[in-house]
Amino acid sequence: MDTWNFFYTCTVSLWLHRFYIYSAVALGIGIWIVTQFTTTKTRKKVEKSNRNPASEGIEDKLVNGYATLQAKEVYVAGVKIFYGSQTGTAKRFAKDLAEAVFSLNLPVEVISMGDYDPDDCLAEETTSRNICVFLVATYTDGQPTESAAWFCKWLEEAANDFRFGKMYLKGLRYAVFGLGNSVYVDHYNTVGRNIDRWLWMLSASRVMTRAEGDCNVAQSKHGSIEADFEAWKAKFLSRLQALCRGEKKPCSGNCKKGKCRSLGKQSKESSDHEHRASEYNNTEAEELFETSSEEEADAEEAGGTNSVLDVEDLGNIMSHMKKAKREHELEEGDVGTSLTRENAGRKEGEKREMITPALREALTKQGYKLIGSHSGVKLCRWTKSMLRGRGGCYKHTFYGIESHRCMEATPSLACANKCVFCWRHHTNPVGTEWRWKMDQPEMILQEAIENHQNMIKQFKGVSGVKADRFEEAMTAKHCALSLVGEPIMYPEINRFVKLLHQHSISSFLVTNAQFPDEIRNLEPVTQLYVSVDASTKESLKRIDRPLFKDFWQRFLDSLKALSEKQQRTVYRLTLVKAWNVDELKAYADLISLGKPDFIEVKGVTYCGESSASNLTMANVPWHEEVVHFVQELADLIPDYEIACEHEHSNCLLIAHKKFKINGEWCTWINYDRFQELVQEHERSGGSKAFTAVDYAARTPRWALFGSRERGFDPVDIRYQRKNKVRDISGC
């Protein structure tokens, strides 16, 4: 009972004083919580003050007795390189850049824009922490390449579609390098500029200002598009390394205010590295589009994160941006001034070579023997054929050229067109005027002959080569100025032609009908060709892709200038099936304008697949189709008839009736007589003129249209074997 009474009394007492007990417990718990919070906070401050700056952002934690490392914040997760290429240059640059990025231990991915769906994937890059690089070429008429067409179309529509919103790509970081040719003034690097603008309109952020590579070596900032890319690549890699360190924007390391937000507590070595990188960057003049990425960052700092601004605030923001830009210019003014003077001196006193190192390598691989800085020579396959006792080219059938004695050369590798059927796959440079260093014609001719002879010497002792033809081939008798490019662009073309004639070498010069004044001023040549690749303005633009804006008027003026020439003139028509074979009446009108002596009609030669052209074997007409075209055309031009045929080359010759003398065709050339006439012309100071008929020669029967041989020379051993010919004395 005593125990029970004691327990009862205690319980009642606790119950009566329960509020005091609750208060004491609550107070104790509160004091414990405050003590723990204060102690933890103090410990963290001590740890932070004692932490090594180099290891900032890294913490060690114990989990089940093991130390785990918390990863440092990643500023750049990787690099994605998008390319849009037609000839393969942008693709090659993309691979080159990828190797450089990989060497920085960064993940990198190279993506063809044709294999990428921006509608599904591009928005993901806003949160991926990747840097997106766009290497894009500008193609015909300022259009994107075929592989980049859909990407550009989608991006343009997104930039102008309110449903996407102007913040659609906010967070995406990008850089653009455009590939173009400044000779196309109206369309220079249009695609690169458009992509830069559309991304910017969708609130993507540039990591550096857009750069542009120029195929025109005369205007390229660094002498070639390859050099332009290398300079930009060095700047990009430097900027990429800065981004990986978490820097907001580049810094020279010598800020006026004594503190640098981007460099923070980096070591002196890093500061020196950035200083050198900035000095390198300052050497390049860059074209800004609206604002640079740095200016955009300044605007965000001035205006805050709100994308909607009051009109009253715009003045403050613009003042802030202009002030920052002036300070930036003052900091770098000395470098910029000295470089401007240096560049100006270089432009005034020095011209660049037409052949860049990359172009020299590409042309050499194709078998060209390059001469000086803008000329070349190459051995024609028909030269090799005739050395072996086989037939010659169509010029042998039509005009009596000895193909084994013909030197194929050019004093200008540059051209003013980029024809879809170019048999050199557009590896040669383009231009509308001469802006390069110029070699003297004497040097060009001497080295051309030497290189030609050296190539001939390689056939000495080769099985099947005829000894007599080998000896004859060592002395060039003809020169076909049709290797590549536009020979008439060469400023000293008249001196070069005269030198050929002084060496008793006939001259066959081909022009693309874009230089009428040069045609008028051209000294007499053995035969002057004009390429008539189409008969209407639209089709000529589509096929030849000329550089000149007034290409059609130049084309017509060139034909008029041709009609004024006294020597032999030729229209050269290249038939491309489904492109230019349905314009007979228009062709007839052009013939009446230029009044050529001859018209060569040839089916296009398929030179293999080329990324610069979409021609296929389906565009090559059959010989019967070429014959049908020529017959229909001849019916529309009463002063002309079909004269010769070379079936092997898929080519026919229409000749003016004045070359049908006493009922016999005289399309061949008396080369000795031509040399006599041209020498008399020069001795008379140009007063003694001569005409095309003055040095005409009779055409052999086997070369005529409709003959049994169909243009095959009967001395061709292949023809003899095929037709079992034993006695050719009567041919």
Side-chain angles (χ1 to χ4, degrees):
M1 290 296 292
D2 292 337
T3 302
W4 170 253
N5 289 334
F6 176 77
F7 177 75
Y8 177 76
T9 303
C10 291
T11 302
V12 172
S13 178
L14 290 173
W15 176 253
L16 293 174
H17 298 87
R18 62 184 183 275
F19 294 106
Y20 298 105
I21 296 173
Y22 293 161
S23 299
V25 172
L27 178 62
I29 293 174
I31 293 173
W32 180 82
I33 292 174
V34 172
T35 303
Q36 291 295 320
F37 178 77
T38 304
T39 304
T40 303
K41 189 174 182 180
T42 303
R43 185 171 64 252
K44 287 185 177 179
K45 286 183 178 180
V46 173
E47 289 177 355
K48 186 175 182 179
S49 62
N50 295 331
R51 186 178 299 169
N52 187 348
S55 62
E56 184 176 358
I58 302 178
E59 299 177 357
D60 290 323
K61 294 182 179 180
L62 289 176
V63 179
N64 296 328
Y66 293 93
T68 61
L69 188 65
Q70 182 177 333
K72 186 166 74 172
E73 182 179 358
V74 176
Y75 296 102
V76 177
V79 177
K80 288 190 176 181
I81 305 172
F82 299 86
Y83 69 87
S85 181
Q86 193 71 28
T87 61
T89 305
K91 182 178 180 180
R92 174 163 49 88
F93 286 173
K95 292 181 177 179
D96 187 16
L97 180 61
E99 292 178 0
V101 172
F102 185 76
S103 67
L104 299 178
N105 296 320
L106 279 173
V108 61
E109 184 177 0
V110 178
I111 304 170
S112 170
M113 296 170 106
D115 300 331
Y116 186 81
D117 189 350
D119 198 16
D120 292 338
C121 305
L122 194 59
E124 298 176 1
E125 303 303 333
T126 60
T127 57
S128 66
R129 293 183 178 268
N130 288 323
I131 303 297
C132 296
V133 181
F134 297 90
L135 307 179
V136 287
T138 298
Y139 197 42
T140 308
D141 293 334
Q143 297 300 311
T145 60
E146 294 178 7
S147 61
W150 165 245
F151 185 98
C152 292
K153 179 178 176 61
W154 178 90
L155 191 59
E156 180 183 13
E157 292 177 351
N160 294 283
D161 191 341
F162 71 93
R163 292 172 294 182
F164 280 88
K166 296 305 179 184
M167 310 297 288
Y168 182 70
L169 294 180
K170 185 173 179 60
L172 183 147
R173 296 178 293 175
Y174 73 95
V176 176
F177 181 84
L179 294 83
N181 195 316
S182 59
V183 296
Y184 293 94
V185 179
D186 292 341
H187 307 299
Y188 176 56
N189 262 311
T190 301
V191 177
R193 296 175 183 181
N194 284 341
I195 287 181
D196 185 31
R197 183 173 78 252
W198 295 328
L199 289 170
W200 183 82
M201 290 170 65
L202 292 170
S203 297
S205 301
R206 303 182 186 94
V207 298
M208 60 187 297
T209 310
R210 182 191 70 249
E212 297 176 345
D214 193 351
C215 290
N216 182 8
V217 297
Q219 296 297 319
S220 169
K221 291 179 182 177
H222 305 89
S224 69
I225 193 170
E226 289 80 11
D228 291 340
F229 172 73
E230 288 298 325
W232 173 82
K233 184 179 74 172
K235 294 166 63 179
F236 173 77
L237 294 176
S238 176
R239 180 73 178 114
L240 183 61
Q241 289 175 304
L243 290 170
C244 290
R245 292 190 293 268
E247 297 177 15
K248 187 173 183 181
K249 54 185 178 180
C251 177
S252 63
N254 57 348
C255 300
K256 283 190 171 184
K257 298 180 181 180
K259 57 182 179 180
C260 181
R261 288 173 293 177
S262 60
L263 287 178
K265 297 182 179 180
Q266 290 181 22
S267 63
K268 184 177 184 300
E269 289 77 12
S270 297
S271 178
D272 293 341
H273 172 77
E274 288 300 315
H275 178 60
R276 290 191 297 271
S278 178
E279 287 183 344
Y280 175 79
N281 292 349
N282 291 337
T283 63
E284 305 303 329
E286 296 180 333
E287 179 182 358
L288 302 178
F289 172 76
E290 297 189 24
T291 64
S292 69
S293 55
E294 291 81 3
E295 290 169 336
E296 290 167 5
D298 290 337
E300 290 178 3
E301 291 173 7
T305 58
N306 189 0
S307 61
V308 180
L309 302 174
D310 292 333
V311 176
E312 292 82 356
D313 296 332
L314 288 175
N316 295 332
I317 293 174
M318 294 305 296
S319 298
H320 176 83
M321 292 173 62
K322 290 180 179 178
K323 183 179 179 181
K325 188 173 182 179
R326 281 196 300 271
E327 290 180 356
H328 182 69
E329 289 173 349
L330 287 173
E331 290 177 7
E332 303 176 350
D334 295 338
V335 178
T337 302
S338 61
L339 285 168
T340 300
R341 291 173 181 170
E342 181 183 348
N343 291 337
R346 180 185 58 77
K347 289 181 180 178
E348 291 177 1
E350 180 182 351
K351 290 185 177 181
R352 291 175 175 149
E353 294 186 355
M354 180 187 294
I355 306 176
T356 64
L359 181 59
R360 184 177 295 276
E361 181 182 358
L363 292 174
T364 302
K365 286 182 179 179
Q366 296 179 31
Y368 287 84
K369 300 298 181 182
L370 299 178
I371 303 167
S373 63
H374 54 75
S375 307
V377 64
K378 188 178 182 182
L379 205 62
C380 176
R381 73 180 184 92
W382 289 106
T383 300
K384 305 172 188 177
S385 173
M386 213 161 189
L387 279 170
R388 291 185 170 94
R390 301 174 180 177
C393 66
Y394 71 90
K395 291 187 184 72
H396 171 63
T397 299
F398 295 171
Y399 315 119
I401 273 185
E402 297 174 85
S403 299
H404 63 298
R405 303 185 68 181
C406 182
M407 177 176 67
E408 192 175 25
T410 181
S412 171
L413 291 164
C415 187
N417 290 345
K418 299 188 76 172
C419 305
V420 296
F421 52 76
C422 178
W423 61 329
R424 306 302 181 189
H425 296 313
H426 309 105
T427 49
N428 57 305
V430 292
T432 56
E433 60 181 334
W434 193 272
R435 294 185 177 181
W436 305 279
K437 289 182 179 179
M438 188 185 71
D439 300 324
Q440 294 303 309
E442 291 81 4
M443 182 274 289
I444 296 174
L445 180 58
Q446 179 182 350
E447 292 197 17
I449 293 174
E450 290 176 358
N451 279 291
H452 179 75
Q453 289 175 338
N454 289 335
M455 288 186 286
I456 294 294
K457 288 177 182 177
Q458 296 175 5
F459 287 85
K460 186 174 183 179
V462 173
S463 176
V465 172
K466 302 268 184 191
D468 56 339
R469 291 195 176 182
F470 176 83
E471 291 299 325
E472 291 174 346
M474 292 300 295
T475 303
K477 187 177 180 181
H478 316 287
C479 181
L481 295 173
S482 59
L483 176 61
V484 68
E486 181 65 85
I488 209 168
M489 281 182 66
Y490 177 50
E492 294 293 341
I493 185 62
N494 281 327
R495 281 178 59 195
F496 185 78
V497 168
K498 287 182 179 180
L499 287 171
L500 285 173
H501 297 160
Q502 290 172 11
H503 284 76
S504 298
I505 300 175
S506 63
S507 52
F508 290 75
L509 190 148
V510 180
T511 176
N512 286 319
Q514 290 295 296
F515 297 91
D517 292 338
E518 285 74 6
I519 292 176
R520 289 190 178 92
N521 298 329
L522 186 67
E523 291 289 328
V525 296
T526 309
Q527 191 155 283
L528 177 60
Y529 288 79
V530 167
S531 294
V532 182
D533 301 324
S535 59
T536 65
K537 183 177 181 179
E538 294 73 21
S539 57
L540 186 68
K541 182 178 181 180
R542 188 174 67 253
I543 294 175
D544 278 4
R545 298 187 293 194
L547 274 63
F548 285 107
K549 296 180 185 177
D550 57 342
F551 67 92
W552 182 246
Q553 189 58 50
R554 284 178 167 272
F555 178 74
L556 297 178
D557 290 344
S558 295
L559 300 186
K560 293 176 184 177
L562 193 77
S563 67
E564 302 167 4
K565 309 303 288 185
Q566 297 297 314
Q567 290 72 49
R568 295 166 66 109
T569 57
V570 183
Y571 274 13
R572 186 170 68 172
L573 277 62
T574 301
L575 298 185
V576 185
K577 201 171 180 179
W579 286 65
N580 62 355
V581 296
D582 300 322
E583 304 168 350
L584 284 167
K585 180 62 172 62
Y587 277 118
D589 294 338
L590 293 179
I591 291 170
S592 63
L593 178 66
K595 301 178 177 60
D597 296 318
F598 305 97
I599 306 156
E600 293 177 4
V601 184
K602 186 178 185 298
V604 66
T605 300
Y606 181 64
C607 301
E609 183 179 353
S610 168
S611 55
S613 173
N614 57 1
L615 292 185
T616 66
M617 280 299 296
N619 298 113
V620 180
W622 294 96
H623 185 64
E624 291 76 11
E625 293 174 312
V626 176
V627 171
H628 180 70
F629 177 91
V630 169
Q631 289 173 334
E632 289 190 332
L633 179 61
D635 292 339
L636 298 176
I637 43 179
D639 293 334
Y640 296 82
E641 290 182 7
I642 305 174
C644 302
E645 176 184 22
H646 192 256
E647 185 181 40
H648 188 92
S649 296
N650 199 10
C651 186
L652 284 86
L653 179 70
I654 301 175
H656 196 281
K657 290 181 179 178
K658 66 183 178 182
F659 289 94
K660 200 170 189 178
I661 303 172
N662 299 324
E664 292 187 341
W665 281 113
C666 296
T667 65
W668 276 35
I669 298 173
N670 185 333
Y671 294 100
D672 293 335
R673 179 57 180 158
F674 169 78
Q675 296 296 345
E676 294 174 359
L677 292 171
V678 78
Q679 289 175 13
E680 292 175 4
H681 174 79
E682 292 181 7
R683 283 196 296 267
S684 66
S687 61
K688 189 171 184 179
F690 60 98
T691 66
V693 179
D694 293 339
Y695 54 99
R698 187 178 68 86
T699 308
R701 177 184 55 79
W702 57 264
L704 299 178
F705 175 68
S707 66
R708 181 171 63 92
E709 294 84 358
R710 307 198 71 171
F712 284 96
D713 190 338
V715 301
D716 183 347
I717 59 175
R718 293 174 300 178
Y719 174 81
Q720 296 176 26
R721 291 170 182 168
K722 179 179 178 181
N723 296 277
K724 299 181 180 180
V725 177
R726 294 184 178 180
D727 183 10
I728 59 172
S729 58
C731 296

